[in-house]
């Protein structure tokens, strides 16, 4: 992450004792993640403030074959680590803090294509549970994507395939 360009700075948090003792899976200090530049098409609303930034340490986008090809929406399954500890990202799309159980789901608001990879996204939170790490999140940015593209070629209807991907997720609170 050291090479990531920062446009609005870094987000940090006070790590729990367990997180300090755990080895950083995504670099020298995975609890500090720089926020990269954001394409104008997917910027959160003016006044939004970053409340967390996370790196995918292990992630896949799973596609289902329909009509002989892998197309359509994918289902994410990823482990993220960053400023608020560890987050599980899964179908919904949903994100759940492993620290305190807070949970959000969101819908895609906008996207910005990236050649050869899944697009960068802005998502708007549409449901939440709990008041912890994710309790005040209103928007989610998926940035610096790599991989995750549906495979080309023919397939058998109903077959699934999981494609590895990487990204930085930034969680935003709405303007006060």
């Amino acid at each position: 992450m050291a090479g990531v360009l920062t446009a609005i700075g870094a987000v940090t948090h006070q790590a729990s004792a367990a997180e300090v003792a755990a080895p950083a899976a995504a670099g020298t200090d995975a609890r500090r993640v720089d926020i990269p530049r954001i394409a104008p098409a997917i910027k959160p609303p003016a006044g939004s403030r970053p409340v967390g930034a996370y790196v995918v340490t292990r992630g896949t986008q799973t596609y289902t074959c329909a009509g002989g090809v892998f197309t359509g929406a994918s289902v994410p399954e990823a482990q993220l680590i960053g400023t608020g500890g560890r987050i599980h990202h899964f179908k919904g799309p949903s994100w759940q803090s492993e620290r305190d159980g807070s949970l959000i789901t969101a819908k895609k608001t906008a996207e910005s294509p990236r050649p050869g990879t899944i697009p960068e996204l802005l998502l708007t939170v549409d449901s939440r549970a709990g008041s912890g790490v994710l309790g005040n999140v209103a928007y989610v940015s998926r940035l610096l994507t790599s991989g995750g593209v549906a495979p080309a070629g023919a397939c058998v209807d109903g077959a699934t395939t999981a494609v590895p991907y990487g990204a930085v997720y930034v969680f935003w609170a709405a303007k006060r």
Side-chain angles (χ1 to χ4, degrees), residues 43-54:
K43 283 192 177 204
S48 299
R49 57 185 170 71
V51 294
Y54 297 80

Side-chain angles (χ1 to χ4, degrees), residues 1-24:
M1 290 308 307
V4 175
L5 296 174
T6 57
I8 58 176
V11 178
T12 60
H13 86 293
Q14 182 65 37
S16 69
E19 291 165 337
V20 170

Side-chain angles (χ1 to χ4, degrees), residues 4-10 33-39 43 50 143 172:
V4 175
L5 296 174
T6 57
I8 58 176
V33 179
D34 292 329
I35 300 171
R37 295 193 183 279
I38 300 174
K43 283 192 177 204
L143 308 170
W172 304 86

Side-chain angles (χ1 to χ4, degrees), residues 45-145:
S48 299
R49 57 185 170 71
V51 294
Y54 297 80
V55 175
V56 172
T57 60
R58 185 178 65 244
T60 59
Q61 296 286 330
T62 299
Y63 295 89
T64 300
C65 182
V69 294
F70 289 109
T71 61
S74 61
V75 176
E77 178 61 41
Q79 294 297 315
L80 288 59
I81 190 166
T83 56
R86 296 182 184 277
I87 300 278
H88 179 209
H89 176 36
F90 54 99
K91 184 178 181 176
S94 303
W95 295 263
Q96 186 164 29
S97 168
E98 293 183 10
R99 175 187 281 178
D100 58 33
S102 56
L103 170 72
I104 58 172
T105 63
K107 298 279 188 247
K108 181 173 73 170
T109 303
E111 71 177 59
S112 179
R114 284 178 52 98
T117 184
I118 55 177
E120 293 182 325
L121 300 175
L122 175 65
L123 302 107
T124 301
V125 172
D126 59 359
S127 73
R128 72 186 79 250
S131 59
V133 170
L134 300 173
N136 67 345
V137 173
Y139 305 98
V140 179
S141 296
R142 180 176 76 184
L143 308 170
L144 293 179
T145 55

